[in-house]
Amino acid sequence: ARAETGFAMDGFGMEGLGFPTETTTAQWELELTARGIYGDAVAAGLDGGDESSNEAARDWATSGAVLQREAHVGYLLKSLRRLSAGHVVLDASRCWLCYWIVHSLALLGYVLPEELGNDVVAFLSLCQSNEGGFGGGPGQASHLAPTYAAVCCLATIATDAATQVVDKKTMREFLMQCKDQNRGGFKMHAGGETDVRGCFTALAVAHLLRIDSELNSRDSELKRGVPSFVKRCQTHEGGIAGEPYAEAHGGYSFCGLAAVTLCGEAHVLDLNELTRWLAHRQGTAEGGFSGRTNKLVDGCYSFWQGGAFPLLRLVHDL
């Protein structure tokens, strides 16, 4: 029925083609919604030059085009202390929740109160395993993903107490335990899957903690084999998959590019094709990024895909 409305599904180039899919229809509806938001915001920001100007300015300040900083800060602070019962499904992601919230507050320019910062540091210390690395929550097995999140969160807080949490000796042992000596990449945990997430998170943690004296050398134990592994993960599309022969994916593309950049070997990738693939993931109307070809835009992939472009600029300027 929707195909007969006469509207063009221009986000996927479906104009005039009578076979909309569930994805293209969702994209079409999203673009109509986005255009409505843009139209309202622009109208609110117009200065009519009369008594309506003050009202228009107020409308602009509360429109979808303006970041509501104070509302975000309030929501984040509330969430840092207590989450609703529905968040129980994220019990293995509690380090990530700390990182996302603390990082968001930092981006908003909010200085974390000392007492609250100390509480976050104390909680993260409970997530550290005696054998090295961090689990998703207290008492959980070490895993590279929450390890990355915990270390980034501690680095953001950056108090004396935060800098003393990580046991660098056992951390290095954990990272080496995750190293896949046969494939060159990193396993996400002992006995786990090897993919480009492991490469990035392991090297990022090592870089932040400066735990490998040879990390600046391309021959360091941690870096050895990573560039060739990531290279094998770049697909015919130009993006990077989680492992060889899989589909190009937004989060993996950032992780792969970041990993080889940390190795000082970004040139092993076809950077022109990667840039082209990344650029084509941006939505024409909504402006965000999708994670894979013919998928919808979302905030998560906009974070990872968007993060790849500063790395490309860095590599280009070197």
Side-chain angles (χ1 to χ4, degrees), residues 14-304:
M14 299 297 290
E15 301 92 330
L17 301 180
F19 50 91
T21 66
E22 181 178 347
T23 301
T24 58
T25 299
Q27 176 67 25
W28 168 66
E29 293 175 340
L30 174 62
E31 290 189 6
L32 290 181
T33 300
R35 287 167 182 158
I37 293 172
Y38 294 153
D40 292 343
V42 170
L46 293 176
D47 185 351
D50 52 30
E51 293 181 358
S52 66
S53 298
N54 290 335
E55 183 177 351
R58 288 194 296 272
D59 290 341
W60 169 257
T62 58
S63 74
V66 177
L67 181 68
Q68 306 300 316
R69 179 185 180 277
E70 296 306 318
H72 282 294
V73 168
Y75 172 76
L76 292 165
L77 288 175
K78 179 181 70 174
S79 300
L80 196 55
R81 285 295 191 189
R82 184 177 181 83
L83 292 168
S84 64
H87 286 84
V88 69
V89 296
L90 297 177
D91 182 63
S93 298
R94 294 170 73 182
C95 288
W96 276 107
L97 291 170
C98 290
Y99 166 62
W100 285 324
I101 293 172
V102 170
H103 184 59
S104 296
L105 289 169
L107 290 174
L108 291 168
Y110 180 84
V111 179
L112 209 62
E114 182 178 359
E115 180 182 359
L116 185 55
N118 288 339
D119 287 346
V120 175
V121 170
F123 170 76
L124 291 176
S125 68
L126 297 176
C127 300
Q128 184 172 208
S129 168
N130 291 333
E131 298 177 355
F134 289 77
Q140 297 181 20
S142 295
H143 190 286
L144 278 176
T147 296
Y148 169 79
V151 171
C152 285
C153 187
L154 292 168
T156 303
I157 295 173
T159 59
D160 289 342
T163 62
Q164 299 301 314
V165 169
V166 179
D167 184 325
K168 295 183 181 181
K169 180 179 181 296
T170 59
M171 176 65 79
R172 190 182 191 288
E173 292 171 354
F174 168 65
L175 295 180
M176 289 305 302
Q177 183 184 29
C178 291
K179 181 71 176 180
D180 187 334
Q181 301 293 348
N182 294 323
R183 304 178 68 188
F186 282 85
K187 296 171 286 187
M188 293 303 295
H189 57 90
E193 67 279 21
T194 298
D195 60 40
V196 295
R197 293 175 304 158
C199 296
F200 167 62
T201 51
L203 293 181
V205 166
H207 180 79
L208 287 169
L209 297 175
R210 300 179 181 178
I211 61 174
D212 191 338
S213 60
E214 298 179 345
L215 197 60
N216 290 327
S217 167
R218 293 180 181 179
D219 295 326
S220 76
E221 289 184 275
L222 290 173
K223 289 182 178 179
R224 190 172 301 132
V226 169
S228 61
F229 174 77
V230 175
K231 180 180 179 180
R232 296 196 300 274
C233 295
Q234 187 169 24
T235 77
H236 67 281
E237 289 188 274
I240 300 171
E243 58 184 355
Y245 312 115
E247 182 182 9
H249 182 286
Y252 294 131
S253 291
F254 171 84
C255 288
L257 176 60
V260 294
T261 301
L262 285 167
C263 291
E265 304 239 10
H267 64 276
V268 301
L269 298 174
D270 187 332
L271 295 176
N272 288 334
E273 284 299 297
L274 175 59
T275 302
R276 183 197 61 78
W277 184 82
L278 288 167
H280 279 80
R281 300 286 69 74
Q282 187 171 30
T284 56
E286 61 276 46
F289 288 82
S290 64
R292 291 178 286 162
T293 302
N294 289 335
K295 295 295 183 180
L296 301 177
V297 163
D298 69 35
C300 176
Y301 290 125
S302 296
F303 174 81
W304 294 113

